[in-house]
């Protein structure tokens, strides 16, 4: 069998030794992301401008690939097993099948003064995963009319969930599967760092490490969505599963990884 970038929930038991209900349990009890596969949808890409307290609209894309729901929609989804969303993270630049400028009419009519139309071209897009707003084909630049509202939503349910190969290793770690064979790999912690970078796009590596350290002391899991940290001090992070699979990440290595992941998005 080929190694896929993501898997559907019914595949988990035969391929990886745990069920879709094991995964649902982990989603319910840990602050981990929930992802879905979307087959052809238009989005507006947004980027925060915290200095000016604005949100820049970077352009409209046609997209096929993975999305990640925000924390509010995740809670609603876990409560009802279905959710309609108007905003999410689009995960992969390679999933962009077309890109165009955003309509000034759309921005003026459907958004308040906090949103600014500051378009980029496809090569300039650097912040994937991007926070995105769901739009319809009628909201594109050449078709948007003054009386056309922004009403498009995505309807997601349990069967749409996908799980990435990185998250599968984390699930095995939490469920204590295959720990003796050292299968949980370093990229579990890499995936977590990328996640918290996405949640904190405006702060650098040193400030991010300080936030992780402070949150750990205060038992705040917002910078530990996969519940990996066993100990955090000013010099290093100890992560994994206590007494079963423990790894150490130095502050210097953490800062190097943050720098590396930022360059990968440039």
């Amino acid at each position: 069998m080929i190694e896929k970038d993501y898997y559907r929930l019914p595949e988990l038991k035969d391929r990886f030794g745990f069920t879709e209900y094991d995964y649902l349990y982990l989603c319910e009890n840990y602050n981990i992301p929930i992802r879905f596969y979307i087959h052809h949808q238009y989005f507006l890409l947004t980027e925060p401008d915290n200095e000016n307290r604005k949100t820049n609209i970077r352009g409209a894309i046609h997209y096929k690939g993975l999305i990640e729901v925000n924390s509010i929609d995740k809670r609603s989804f876990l409560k009802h097993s279905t959710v309609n969303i108007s905003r999410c993270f689009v995960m992969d630049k390679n999933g962009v099948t077309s890109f165009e400028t955003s309509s000034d009419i759309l921005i003026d009519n459907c958004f308040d003064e906090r949103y600014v139309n500051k378009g980029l071209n496809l090569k300039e897009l650097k912040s994937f995963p991007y926070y995105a707003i769901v739009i319809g084909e009628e909201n594109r630049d050449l078709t948007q009319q003054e009386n056309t509202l922004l009403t498009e939503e995505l309807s997601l349910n349990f069967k749409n969930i996908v799980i990435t190969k990185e998250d599968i290793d984390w699930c095995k770690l939490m469920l204590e599967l295959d720990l003796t064979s050292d299968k949980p790999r370093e990229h579990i912690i890499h995936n977590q760092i990328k996640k918290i970078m996405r949640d904190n796009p405006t702060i650098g590596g040193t400030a991010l490490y300080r936030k992780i350290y402070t949150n750990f002391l205060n038992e705040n899991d917002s910078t530990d969505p996969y519940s990996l940290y066993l100990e955090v001090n000013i010099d290093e992070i100890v992560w994994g599963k206590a007494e079963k699979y423990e790894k150490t990440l130095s502050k210097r290595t953490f800062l190097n990884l943050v720098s590396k992941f930022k360059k990968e998005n440039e």
Side-chain angles (χ1 to χ4, degrees):
M1 290 186 178
I2 64 171
E3 183 175 355
K4 305 176 183 179
D5 292 330
Y6 60 89
Y7 296 87
R8 308 287 181 179
L9 296 188
E11 299 179 85
L12 299 179
K13 184 176 181 180
D14 290 339
R15 295 198 65 155
F16 304 108
F18 62 96
T19 71
E20 58 197 89
Y21 297 103
D22 293 322
Y23 181 63
L24 180 60
Y25 171 85
L26 294 175
C27 291
E28 290 169 340
N29 288 277
Y30 294 91
N31 183 29
I32 64 170
I34 294 182
R35 301 185 179 96
F36 300 85
Y37 182 85
I38 298 300
H39 193 71
H40 298 304
Q41 177 63 47
Y42 287 99
F43 294 92
L44 286 182
L45 299 185
T46 72
E47 201 164 22
D49 178 1
N50 292 312
E51 183 177 347
N52 296 307
R53 297 184 178 180
K54 302 286 185 180
T55 295
N56 294 328
I57 304 293
R58 293 308 196 186
I61 63 168
H62 189 246
Y63 180 76
K64 181 179 72 172
L66 298 187
I67 67 166
E68 180 181 308
V69 298
N70 60 44
S71 57
I72 295 174
D73 289 330
K74 176 189 170 182
R75 289 195 295 271
S76 180
F77 173 79
L78 291 175
K79 182 177 180 180
H80 302 290
S81 297
T82 184
V83 67
N84 292 331
I85 67 168
S86 59
R87 301 176 186 233
C88 63
F89 291 98
V90 293
M91 304 300 293
D92 185 7
K93 188 174 184 177
N94 293 325
V96 177
T97 59
S98 69
F99 181 83
E100 60 189 72
T101 57
S102 303
S103 166
D104 286 328
I105 299 174
L106 172 66
I107 307 305
D108 291 342
N109 286 0
C110 300
F111 296 93
D112 60 30
E113 67 280 356
R114 293 172 296 175
Y115 290 83
V116 181
N117 196 5
K118 288 192 174 182
L120 298 174
N121 61 52
L122 185 58
K123 291 183 179 180
E124 293 175 312
L125 298 179
K126 299 179 180 179
S127 298
F128 278 87
Y130 261 94
Y131 196 56
I133 300 169
V134 181
I135 62 171
E137 186 167 0
E138 68 277 7
N139 298 127
R140 296 170 60 194
D141 188 21
L142 298 179
T143 56
Q144 175 71 33
Q145 302 295 318
E146 289 189 5
N147 60 350
T148 304
L149 300 179
L150 190 66
T151 59
E152 190 80 1
E153 290 185 328
L154 294 177
S155 181
L156 305 172
N157 57 54
F158 193 68
K159 69 178 182 180
N160 302 129
I161 289 181
V162 298
I163 178 172
T164 65
K165 58 186 179 181
E166 292 85 0
D167 286 343
I168 285 167
D169 283 339
W170 173 80
C171 289
K172 287 184 174 184
L173 181 66
M174 292 295 105
L175 296 168
E176 301 185 7
L177 300 174
D178 296 328
L179 291 179
T180 57
S181 61
D182 200 39
K183 284 190 177 180
R185 291 167 285 176
E186 287 284 354
H187 67 215
I188 301 173
I189 192 69
H190 294 184
N191 202 39
Q192 170 140 304
I193 293 171
K194 291 177 181 179
K195 163 68 175 166
I196 61 178
M197 288 174 64
R198 181 162 68 252
D199 292 341
N200 300 272
T202 61
I203 64 177
T206 300
L208 190 59
Y209 190 93
R210 188 184 310 117
K211 185 171 184 176
I212 291 170
Y213 172 63
T214 302
N215 284 350
F216 181 82
L217 294 180
N218 294 324
E219 299 184 350
N220 180 339
D221 69 355
S222 64
T223 47
D224 188 15
Y226 293 94
S227 298
L228 289 176
Y229 305 146
L230 302 173
E231 180 63 42
V232 180
N233 57 49
I234 60 174
D235 297 313
E236 66 181 15
I237 297 171
V238 181
W239 64 274
K241 196 78 171 177
E243 300 180 358
K244 294 179 180 292
Y245 181 88
E246 297 186 11
K247 304 281 280 187
T248 299
L249 180 72
S250 70
K251 180 178 180 180
R252 171 177 283 186
T253 301
F254 174 89
L255 296 178
N256 288 340
L257 287 171
V258 170
S259 178
K260 173 187 174 183
F261 299 150
K262 284 185 176 181
K263 289 179 180 178
E264 289 175 353
N265 280 328
E266 292 179 353

